[in-house]
């Protein structure tokens, strides 16, 4: 994956807000997704996702990500981080759970029938989310790359990865920043 860090102007949080809100993160990713030169600068790999780390607002972690056809994240959460993402090109699908998972002490959960949510996000569309948001993001296109911009605050202390079979969600692994170097 590229280790490039383009100079992207961070947006300043409101004077009364010490850390960026979900709305401010969403405004940042929407604004950044409109930067056509930045979006076009991201290399596309036909086999796997590529990304560029960006300077996010008020010390947040931000990424520009290219998604080849048929790729996705798998089920995961963002722990204590609030986040937002916007599609800069193409279309992504997000599957999410409308529930908060326990933070510790479990390996397998049976989900109730009413917790699944699905969103189709086309170019220019995005969403913000709160802490412990569980989702997977997919490029379901058979032929087109998609590109998106993501921002998280605080920067990821950890990500939990899950597998899912029907209504059963299983905690598979917990990743920490030192695992991503």
């Amino acid at each position: 994956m590229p280790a490039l860090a383009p100079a992207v102007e961070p947006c300043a949080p409101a004077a009364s807000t010490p850390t960026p809100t979900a709305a401010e993160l969403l405004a940042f990713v929407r604004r950044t997704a409109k930067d056509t030169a930045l979006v076009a600068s991201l290399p596309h790999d036909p086999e796997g996702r590529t990304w560029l780390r960006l300077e996010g607002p008020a010390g947040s972690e931000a990424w520009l990500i290219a998604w080849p056809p048929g790729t996705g994240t798998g089920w995961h959460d963002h722990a204590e981080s609030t986040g937002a993402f916007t599609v800069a090109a193409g279309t992504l699908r997000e599957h999410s759970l409308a529930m908060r998972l326990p933070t510790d002490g479990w390996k397998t959960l049976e989900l109730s029938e009413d917790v699944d949510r699905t969103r189709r996000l086309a170019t220019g569309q995005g969403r913000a989310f709160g802490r412990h948001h569980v989702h997977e993001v997919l490029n379901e296109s058979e032929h087109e790359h998609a590109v998106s911009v993501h921002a998280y605050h605080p920067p990821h202390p950890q990500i939990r990865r899950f597998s899912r079979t029907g209504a059963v969600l299983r905690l598979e692994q917990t990743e920490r920043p030192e695992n991503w170097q």
Side-chain angles (χ1 to χ4, degrees):
M1 299 300 161
L4 307 173
V8 173
E9 191 75 24
C11 71
S16 63
T17 307
T19 60
T21 64
E24 289 167 330
L25 293 173
L26 184 58
F28 168 80
V29 297
R30 284 181 171 158
R31 189 171 51 255
T32 304
K34 292 178 183 176
D35 184 339
T36 55
L38 176 64
V39 171
S41 75
L42 182 62
H44 291 195
D45 182 327
E47 301 297 317
R49 289 183 294 156
T50 54
W51 56 79
L52 296 173
R53 177 126 190 204
L54 308 174
E55 292 295 322
S60 63
E61 183 172 1
W63 300 91
L64 179 66
I65 302 174
W67 306 75
T71 59
T73 60
W75 286 95
H76 65 283
D77 75 2
H78 296 277
E80 297 293 325
S81 297
T82 297
F85 70 98
T86 293
V87 178
T91 301
L92 294 173
R93 181 166 311 276
E94 180 196 35
H95 299 286
S96 62
L97 300 179
M99 65 176 286
R100 186 174 176 152
L101 299 179
T103 55
D104 293 309
W106 68 277
K107 285 286 190 187
T108 304
L109 291 175
E110 187 163 346
L111 304 171
S112 64
E113 292 180 18
D114 60 347
V115 299
D116 287 300
R117 302 293 182 268
T118 298
R119 288 181 178 82
R120 180 183 176 276
L121 300 162
T123 300
Q125 295 179 317
R127 72 178 311 264
F129 53 84
R131 298 173 357 164
H132 303 287
H133 177 68
V134 177
H135 68 162
E136 69 173 344
V137 179
L138 309 160
N139 177 2
E140 295 178 326
S141 172
E142 294 181 17
H143 307 290
E144 301 289 326
H145 263 75
V147 177
S148 56
V149 181
H150 303 247
Y152 311 97
H153 194 279
H156 285 122
Q158 71 179 27
I159 292 178
R160 295 185 300 176
R161 298 211 177 266
F162 309 98
S163 62
R164 178 149 184 211
T165 305
V168 176
L169 188 72
R170 180 173 177 77
L171 176 62
E172 296 293 343
Q173 118 185 42
T174 300
E175 297 175 2
R176 290 180 173 70
E178 58 268 19
N179 303 124
W180 307 325
Q181 302 302 327

